[in-house]
Amino acid sequence: MLLDGKRILVTGLLTDASIAFSVARRAQEEGAEVVLTSFGRVMSLTERSARRLPAPVQIVELDVTNADDLGQLAERAGGHLDGVLHAIAFAPPSCLGGGFLDAPWDDVAVALQVSAYSLKALAVAALPLLSPGAGIVGLDFDNTQAWPTYDWMGVAKSAFESTARYLARDLGPKGIRVNLVAAGPVRTMAAKSIPGFDHFEEVWSTRAPLGWDIRDPEPVAQACVALLSDYFPKTTGEILHVDGGVHAVGA
């Protein structure tokens, strides 16, 4: 099994339709012990979804914008970690849906903190528990071009990608890998909150050489598990596209 004996921290698991849920389930099936994070009002959603996983999990309180939570993550999670999945993103409504020119800085700052800076914050918080050879994997969306309605979340994802590269540089000497999986659109709770999400569905239905099913997060989950395993010991700072090939072809 790919993750036999490993301990993996998974963030962002709200419902069983989320990519994070598929990663957690696949990680358990591949032999890993999984620890989840959640906080506040969404904790009950995480707890409910966790009961649908193959094995029981520990759930620790973590709001990636809360310095106290970040400072206590190592103590709350305990033990050691062999991998971390960053599956966190958020932008206020003003930052999505065509309001790029009008979104105020205060809202943009929230999007950047939660969706980009949090990768660094989470990595540093987990660092005391990460052993050499550990992998950090983040969920990304290709940002080599501007997408309809994605607006400041697209900017945040570009910052997310750059953050991953700098983390790869600074954590590499500690033996820790940092990689991203640029996923095609999957119909999750987060996706439903994006105005005009149907635009993405239309693009992928016509352009993906390998085809794409927006209801199936499994291809993305499998890639995440592979990157969390020992099969990529010298791969870091990479963006692995799991999008049916859309990133590689024109209109």
Side-chain angles (χ1 to χ4, degrees):
M1 294 187 287
L2 284 180
L3 300 180
D4 191 29
K6 294 189 180 295
R7 192 165 185 255
I8 306 296
L9 183 77
V10 174
T11 67
L13 193 160
L14 296 181
T15 73
D16 58 2
S18 68
I19 296 173
F21 180 89
S22 291
V23 173
R25 181 181 60 202
R26 175 68 67 165
Q28 287 187 337
E29 290 170 351
E30 292 291 344
E33 175 189 350
V34 170
V35 179
L36 303 180
T37 72
S38 190
F39 72 99
R41 291 180 296 176
V42 300
M43 178 69 82
S44 60
L45 290 176
T46 302
E47 292 172 341
R48 188 178 307 124
S49 298
R51 290 194 285 271
R52 298 187 178 98
L53 290 169
V57 296
Q58 176 187 0
I59 304 176
V60 300
E61 182 98 9
L62 176 65
D63 174 354
V64 290
T65 67
N66 185 305
D68 289 338
D69 279 1
L70 290 163
Q72 295 179 56
L73 176 62
E75 180 180 349
R76 291 173 179 174
H80 75 286
L81 291 174
D82 301 290
V84 175
L85 177 77
H86 181 288
I88 302 166
F90 172 77
S94 67
C95 295
L96 296 162
F100 183 81
L101 297 180
D102 300 319
W105 167 245
D106 287 348
D107 287 354
V108 172
V110 170
L112 291 173
Q113 180 182 14
V114 177
S115 306
Y117 180 81
S118 65
L119 179 62
K120 191 282 297 187
L122 178 62
V124 171
L127 191 56
L129 304 182
L130 291 170
S131 51
I136 298 173
V137 176
L139 294 179
D140 190 21
F141 186 79
D142 183 74
N143 275 283
T144 54
Q145 55 192 324
W147 291 98
T149 78
Y150 209 45
D151 295 348
W152 285 101
M153 181 58 79
V155 176
K157 284 297 187 183
S158 293
F160 183 67
E161 293 171 1
S162 185
T163 300
R165 287 189 287 268
Y166 280 96
L167 280 174
R169 180 196 68 182
D170 288 357
L171 297 182
K174 301 180 185 296
I176 298 169
R177 299 167 290 118
V178 183
N179 295 290
L180 305 180
V181 173
V186 177
R187 188 168 282 284
T188 63
M189 179 182 293
K192 292 177 183 177
S193 69
I194 301 173
F197 183 75
D198 289 350
H199 290 295
F200 297 100
E201 297 181 26
E202 293 168 7
V203 170
W204 261 261
S205 66
T206 58
R207 285 176 49 189
L210 292 175
W212 188 257
D213 184 352
I214 64 168
R215 298 173 300 276
D216 184 12
E218 282 302 306
V220 182
Q222 291 176 27
C224 291
V225 166
L227 285 171
L228 289 168
S229 77
D230 295 331
Y231 273 73
F232 292 87
K234 296 298 180 183
T235 299
T236 195
E238 186 61 83
I239 301 175
L240 176 62
H241 289 82
V242 183
D243 64 354
V246 166
H247 73 283
V249 299

